[in-house]
Amino acid sequence: MAAIQTAMTATLKVPHWTTSIRLFVHEPHRFSGPPDKGDRYTLVTMDCFVGRSRETKRALYQAIVQNLGMCGIPADHLKVLLREAPRENWAIRGGLPASEVELEYDVEI
């Protein structure tokens, strides 16, 4: 979890307190990944606001690969899915659309 958090704060420039990270570990018989990857196969899914450049996303992916590599997860055993949604599709801070909230960071980087 720290590997993902570090990658996000370094590349997306988001404060650590704005992220929520969940770790799901599945027993091998409860998760079907590519047959050639084994038990180290890791799927990272991220939901975020629309706005990051292709270069920023590339840097994020590389930071995740590097950080998880230090945890023993081979680069070819990793898949990252980044799902972006417009800010008006997120309710934050008591139910306000995120598009109406002044953020402490820039998403258009």
Side-chain angles (χ1 to χ4, degrees):
M1 290 174 44
I4 301 300
Q5 178 74 51
T6 300
M8 290 176 64
T9 56
T11 61
L12 301 182
K13 311 295 186 211
V14 294
H16 68 87
W17 50 267
T18 64
T19 61
S20 299
I21 298 176
R22 295 181 293 174
L23 172 65
F24 295 102
V25 178
H26 299 282
E27 295 180 35
H29 69 282
R30 296 197 179 273
F31 183 75
S32 177
D36 62 330
K37 300 303 179 197
D39 64 352
R40 287 303 210 171
Y41 179 72
T42 301
L43 172 63
V44 176
T45 59
M46 304 176 74
D47 294 298
C48 65
F49 298 141
V50 169
R52 276 66 180 215
S53 69
R54 186 172 292 172
E55 293 78 24
T56 298
K57 293 173 193 177
R58 187 177 291 115
L60 171 66
Y61 305 149
Q62 290 305 306
I64 290 171
V65 167
Q66 180 180 9
N67 292 354
L68 289 179
M70 291 186 284
C71 298
I73 299 170
D76 68 338
H77 284 49
L78 179 62
K79 183 184 283 187
V80 178
L81 170 60
L82 182 67
R83 297 180 294 208
E84 299 177 292
R87 288 176 55 186
E88 63 266 15
N89 290 5
W90 292 66
I92 61 175
R93 301 191 188 156
L96 295 173
S99 57
E100 298 176 10
V101 173
E102 184 70 31
L103 300 174
E104 295 77 13
Y105 58 93
D106 188 9
V107 295
E108 298 198 14
I109 59 171

